[in-house]
Amino acid sequence: MALTIPEEEMEECKQLVQPAFAAISLTNDLFSWEKERDAAKDGGQPHVINAIWVLMRELCISEDEAKVVCRAKIKESVTEYLVTLRKTRTNHDLSPDLRTYVEAIQYSLSGNLNNIRSLNSF
């Protein structure tokens, strides 16, 4: 996909897709948590750089509670991205390439979840 997003739209581009990338990152952290936690424990590491670990520490909550919070944030981020996607499709003030890029991110979002679910190691 050969897209050229104008320089003057780059900041807006980042803002438009940020919720999708948040959902992708959080989904990865949610599904990789046990593996990362166990690897850190086996390696003698005191902590794991993962959203679940951060939520547990920052909110003083259990692992299960952190997973619930993480799932809720994923849903919130996906919902925010979908609202943005609908608005972007009809916003002709944006360049066609920016609209196409925002549209294309949905496939990264859905593909990320499908790939993670298909892995037996998680």
Side-chain angles (χ1 to χ4, degrees), residues 13-79:
C13 177
K14 291 175 191 175
Q15 292 173 6
L16 292 171
V17 297
Q18 188 280 331
F21 287 122
I24 290 167
S25 296
L26 291 170
T27 300
N28 179 67
D29 282 3
L30 179 64
F31 282 90
S32 66
W33 165 247
E34 283 86 3
K35 187 175 182 176
E36 291 179 28
R37 179 201 58 210
D38 294 347
K41 183 178 176 183
D42 293 346
Q45 300 293 324
H47 59 275
V48 180
I49 306 302
N50 181 297
I52 303 302
W53 184 85
V54 171
L55 289 167
M56 290 169 58
R57 297 302 178 266
E58 291 292 319
L59 302 177
C60 299
I61 58 178
S62 71
E63 182 177 318
D64 288 339
E65 291 168 321
K67 288 179 181 180
V68 169
V69 171
C70 188
R71 283 185 187 96
K73 184 60 181 169
I74 292 166
K75 289 177 185 177
E76 177 185 314
S77 295
V78 169
T79 300

Side-chain angles (χ1 to χ4, degrees), residues 4-17 98:
T4 303
I5 297 170
E7 186 62 37
E8 63 272 10
E9 289 186 328
M10 289 306 284
E11 192 56 40
E12 186 168 13
C13 177
K14 291 175 191 175
Q15 292 173 6
L16 292 171
V17 297
L98 176 53

